[in-house]
Amino acid sequence: LYGYYEGSYCAMIPELLSDIALEGKNMHHCVGGYIDRHARGETIIVFVRDPMYPLIPRWTVEISPDGKLIQVQGYNNRQENKPSGEAQAFLDRWLAVVQARHRQWARQAVQTKEKA
């Protein structure tokens, strides 16, 4: 539901919970404190990367389980490190795709329940 690729950006779900801790360490912000909430599905942590260099952090995004943006943080939580321009446009398109996927998933769940 949350992965997405477009041009010079991709949104990636962490493969391991320890990846979230490493992201916080590398980006000098507190995302490591969100591991338990992410594991329980209360919030979704997503990494935004350049697909050519997927191990190099650009931004860390927190979204609600239904795909609404909660926060975006860059290096050291500094305002000048937040996405702008093309990167912000990517985030807007990605979130629209995630929300559309959620609506489709919810419709399918209702249809399946009605058939049962």
Side-chain angles (χ1 to χ4, degrees):
L1 288 174
Y2 306 103
Y4 185 70
Y5 164 81
E6 181 185 287
S8 57
Y9 300 100
C10 64
M12 303 169 44
I13 297 296
E15 290 183 24
L16 304 170
L17 293 175
S18 60
D19 292 342
I20 297 173
L22 185 59
E23 177 87 351
K25 182 178 178 183
N26 290 337
M27 294 291 280
H28 296 268
H29 59 47
C30 65
V31 74
Y34 293 75
I35 291 172
D36 289 340
R37 290 179 54 220
H38 176 84
R40 291 190 303 265
E42 296 170 4
T43 197
I44 309 299
I45 302 299
V46 180
F47 304 152
V48 176
R49 305 281 197 256
D50 179 329
M52 296 295 290
Y53 306 98
L55 299 178
I56 299 174
R58 293 186 90 169
W59 299 284
T60 310
V61 180
E62 179 188 11
I63 60 176
S64 65
D66 62 350
K68 292 186 176 58
L69 180 66
I70 297 173
Q71 64 176 320
V72 178
Q73 296 298 335
Y75 184 78
N76 209 28
N77 289 346
R78 299 193 65 172
Q79 185 64 32
E80 63 267 19
N81 295 328
K82 293 208 179 228
S84 62
E86 180 186 338
Q88 185 59 53
F90 164 81
L91 288 172
D92 294 341
R93 289 187 301 272
W94 166 63
L95 288 169
V97 167
V98 167
Q99 291 169 4
R101 288 174 181 169
H102 271 279
R103 286 190 299 275
Q104 180 181 7
W105 180 80
R107 280 192 303 271
Q108 289 173 343
V110 167
Q111 291 170 351
T112 301
K113 192 181 257 186
E114 288 173 351
K115 290 179 183 178

